[in-house]
Amino acid sequence: MNRIIMIFFAAAAALGGLDCIAGNKKGYGERFEEAFRLLGPTALSMTGMICISPALSFLLERLLAPLLRLAGTDPALAGGFFAIDMGGYQLAVQLADSPDWGGYFGIIVGAVFGCTLTFTLPVGIGVIEERDSGYFLKGIIIGLIAMPVGFLAGGLLFGFSPLLLLCRLAVLLVCALLLVLGLWKCPARMVKGFRLFVRGLKLLITLGLTIGAVLYLLDLESRYITPVMDAMQTVSSICVVMLGSLPAALFLQRILRFPLQKAGSFLKLDETAVTAILIGTVSVLPALTMLKDMSPRGRVAVSAYLVSAASLMGAHIAFTMGVSPDLTGPLIAAKLTGAFSALFAALWMERRKDEP
């Protein structure tokens, strides 16, 4: 399956490059160039966290890992609280007692729960309009409740048994439940807390990048800091995959547009919501900015869908292809299963609300 995906991305990269040479007549060339332009922002958000991940791993191994082992799970779970492209994968691998659990928590859990915690929620709170915040938070709650369905699907494809998955995920599910209760009962305090969390995360990333750059310029090494050029190699491999994945996403968006519009009509979703579902599967930020133009039903449904599906065809599949290609199938299964479970749950709840 991984080979098939890579062949598809390679063909899409060739299509994007040829269209770029021809003057971007079909739009694929623009996506090809966009992938390369993303190298800077991607490096800025990822490199510092990768650099400082050995130091974080050292601290978490001594402070948190013993507690996680007592709770019956692998210490790699700590990495799942960060997005896979913000150091979550590296943390999970370095903390893991078992390489399999390091990959599972670092890729599959980090791409859903970690991404929601460190990106979708805090960024969404910052970009959506105040009047849409209630719909957004309701959708996030539904998405978090549906999230375990995706974890189960990805874990089964990875080869884990359902009972073992539930045991290893128990701590995470409790944390997700507490997050749901907080968003439901005291959303204002949670929003304030997320803003502070994002500020601290940015500070940590900048610190890591600064230390990595200083060590490189002085030709020094530290066991607690990943060399900045090694971190940049990881980032570069992700952007090379995006040279194919972004044109591929545009291709899929075009060929699936008509059937998805029909599905949107059947599900009573407006065209903006259907478009946001397609776009959000590639990049979550543009989809979040579209919430203001949707119906209330669409706002809740799209927000719920994005908890699991966010950035699948963009950064997340590119990252996974770059660091652990064997997990691409489980990643796709986990994110899409969780996303569509959340989408249909949101639509069902909104339908029940509208009934007399």
Side-chain angles (χ1 to χ4, degrees), residues 34-59:
E34 179 188 350
F36 206 77
R37 287 196 297 267
L38 285 171
L39 180 60
T42 304
L44 193 61
S45 65
M46 283 181 59
T47 309
M49 199 64 177
I50 295 174
C51 286
I52 208 169
S53 62
L56 284 178
S57 176
F58 177 81
L59 291 174

Side-chain angles (χ1 to χ4, degrees), residues 2 13 43 64 87 112 123 127 185 198 219 241 273 279:
N2 297 335
L64 189 59
V112 178
V123 171
V127 301
K185 294 293 187 180
V198 171
D219 197 23
V241 176
I279 292 174

